[in-house]
Amino acid sequence: MATTRIVSLKALVHGVSAWSPHSQLLLRSRTLTSAVRAYSSATSPPSKAVVYDQHGSPDIVTRVTELPPVEIKENDVCVRMLAAPINPSDINRIEGVYPVRPPMPAVGGYEGVGEVHAVGSAVKGLSTGDWVIPSPPSSGTWQTYVVKEQTVWHKIDKSTPMEYAATVTVNPLTALRMLEDFVTLKPGDTIVQNGATSMVGQCVIQLARLRGIHSVNIIRDRAGSDEAKENLKKLGADDVYTESQLEVKNVRGLLGNISEPALGFNCVGGTAASLVLKFLKQGGTMVTYGGMSKRPITVSTSSYIFKELTLRGFWLQRWMSSDKAEECRSMINYLLGLCRDGKLKYELEVAPFDDFHSGLEKAMGKRGSQPKQVLKF
């Protein structure tokens, strides 16, 4: 009874009866407002995402849906995605044929760039408005908001063109590592590659040219091949040949004053891989990083016995998972600097996220040869 009187007296001092309907409504309103504020500061906004529940053809098994808010823990960063590409490896993950796949149901995408939307209470070094990329890359970038621990995110210079920031890790970094990891190249040396119009191929040409290294490039026979040749030469390619042009016994005569290649890159397989091998000099090395033709690599016995060629493979994800996070981020900063200076560029097409399935069809080759598709959120 005494307690009731004290509470009532305090309420009356403030001019409101403690048990009046008005005071109860006011109390409930204040409680609800506080709860909403606490909820909004500890969770992300709802996110629109590309989700799949089973493996299969991406144009069939993916759907765009809304995901509920996610808790932002003390070491988490909530990022509003700005752009993310559709890479062949993304398609392979959804198909279920890639060696490493996220558990389902899963959100598509593996790299991209975003803007920090909110940070957890223990996060230091990142602030709202900063641009970040997942480094090493991380699954689930095809959604409007991503919440992951601070250690996942790498802050980058906001003056970087958005579409280059979104695509810097998987393809340009592959090109850089392959040029540096297998053969010690010096100015005046030569490399040879198939799939030269791919993003990796375009990056190889430019990074090699910056090092004074010549490049011999092989492309498919298709409509527009003459235009493709000119575009690659503008990037710095020394020679560009279609596959049919190399149906000669001795390709060395095509090199002119350029030295025989010590290093070759193969992302196609089949006949296109054999053409790379034909160019390599004695003791040369061919590195395979893809198999777009889905055909095996056939190597002649004489290539092994008389030319002593070496065949190697490269998988960026394995390289990045071997305790190389800091080295990876340093190289990404280098590549982004080249992009900002106009020394590294590649063909891209920005596709609205709201029109995801149109961009996906282009990325899957259902509308003919198309540039790299980059989703803009």
Side-chain angles (χ1 to χ4, degrees):
M1 198 67 178
T3 303
T4 302
R5 288 190 184 125
I6 292 172
V7 172
S8 299
L9 180 61
K10 288 182 178 179
L12 288 171
V13 168
H14 291 88
V16 180
S17 170
W19 307 112
S20 69
H22 176 75
S23 66
Q24 292 181 50
L25 181 62
L26 184 62
L27 179 61
R28 288 173 186 166
S29 175
R30 287 173 177 170
T31 302
L32 179 61
T33 300
S34 299
V36 168
R37 285 174 179 165
Y39 175 82
S40 63
S41 64
T43 62
S44 70
S47 185
K48 187 183 289 187
V50 176
V51 175
Y52 57 100
D53 303 301
Q54 59 182 327
H55 292 131
S57 181
D59 56 335
I60 296 175
V61 300
T62 59
R63 68 185 191 280
V64 179
T65 188
E66 186 169 292
L67 300 180
V70 176
E71 180 185 3
I72 303 174
K73 298 177 182 178
E74 63 176 9
N75 291 310
D76 286 346
V77 177
C78 174
V79 173
R80 180 177 68 85
M81 293 303 295
L82 300 172
I86 305 177
N87 288 316
S89 56
D90 297 322
I91 293 172
N92 292 156
R93 283 185 181 87
I94 298 170
E95 291 172 332
V97 298
Y98 202 73
V100 177
R101 303 179 294 275
M104 293 182 292
V107 176
Y110 190 60
E111 67 172 330
V113 62
E115 183 179 78
V116 175
H117 175 76
V119 298
S121 59
V123 171
K124 297 179 180 179
L126 287 177
S127 304
T128 302
D130 288 342
W131 277 22
V132 292
I133 63 173
S135 177
S138 179
S139 295
T141 57
W142 292 353
Q143 58 181 316
T144 49
Y145 289 91
V146 179
V147 176
K148 293 182 183 288
E149 286 192 3
Q150 179 181 6
T151 54
V152 170
W153 302 107
H154 173 50
K155 182 178 176 179
I156 65 168
D157 191 324
K158 292 179 69 172
S159 66
T160 306
M162 183 187 301
E163 59 271 27
Y164 286 100
T167 55
V168 68
T169 304
V170 171
N171 292 289
L173 189 55
T174 292
L176 180 60
R177 292 312 330 150
M178 291 196 304
L179 281 169
E180 297 190 351
D181 286 357
F182 296 95
V183 173
T184 301
L185 298 169
K186 59 184 184 298
D189 285 344
T190 305
I191 62 97
V192 58
Q193 65 171 343
N194 60 32
T197 57
S198 68
M199 187 185 293
V200 172
Q202 294 175 61
C203 291
V204 164
I205 290 169
Q206 295 167 87
L207 293 172
R209 175 52 63 93
L210 287 171
R211 290 159 171 72
I213 298 165
H214 302 292
S215 66
V216 176
N217 302 275
I218 305 168
I219 64 175
R220 292 179 298 158
D221 288 275
R222 59 180 174 85
S225 58
D226 288 339
E227 182 181 357
K229 287 181 181 181
E230 290 304 313
N231 289 337
L232 293 180
K233 287 182 178 180
K234 288 177 182 177
L235 293 179
D238 291 276
D239 290 317
V240 186
Y241 302 102
T242 59
E243 293 177 6
S244 63
Q245 287 181 290
L246 301 178
E247 294 174 355
V248 295
K249 187 174 183 179
N250 184 9
V251 297
R252 296 176 186 174
L254 301 173
L255 294 174
N257 295 325
I258 297 177
S259 61
E260 286 185 276
L263 178 63
F265 302 133
N266 164 52
C267 67
V268 180
T271 303
S274 300
L275 295 175
V276 171
L277 293 171
K278 285 175 70 173
F279 272 104
L280 290 177
K281 72 176 186 178
Q282 182 83 18
T285 298
M286 183 176 78
V287 179
T288 293
Y289 66 98
M292 292 189 292
S293 71
K294 299 182 179 179
R295 295 175 182 172
I297 298 168
T298 302
V299 185
S300 67
T301 302
S302 62
S303 294
Y304 275 124
I305 296 176
F306 303 116
K307 292 185 72 175
E308 299 180 293
L309 300 183
T310 299
L311 304 187
R312 300 285 301 274
F314 179 77
W315 185 26
L316 181 69
Q317 186 164 336
R318 176 175 292 159
W319 181 86
M320 289 189 298
S321 65
S322 57
D323 195 28
K324 293 185 180 293
E326 289 305 314
E327 187 179 354
C328 176
R329 293 181 177 189
S330 176
M331 288 183 292
I332 283 172
N333 290 340
Y334 164 71
L335 291 167
L336 289 176
L338 294 180
C339 292
R340 289 192 297 271
D341 293 341
K343 296 178 180 178
L344 182 64
K345 51 191 175 183
Y346 33 85
E347 194 177 4
L348 299 165
E349 182 175 279
V350 176
F353 181 61
D354 290 340
D355 196 18
F356 165 74
H357 278 94
S358 176
L360 179 63
E361 286 186 357
K362 291 182 179 180
M364 294 178 68
K366 295 197 169 187
R367 300 189 185 182
S369 180
Q370 299 285 340
K372 172 73 67 179
Q373 297 296 299
V374 180
L375 302 172
K376 185 176 181 180
F377 297 89

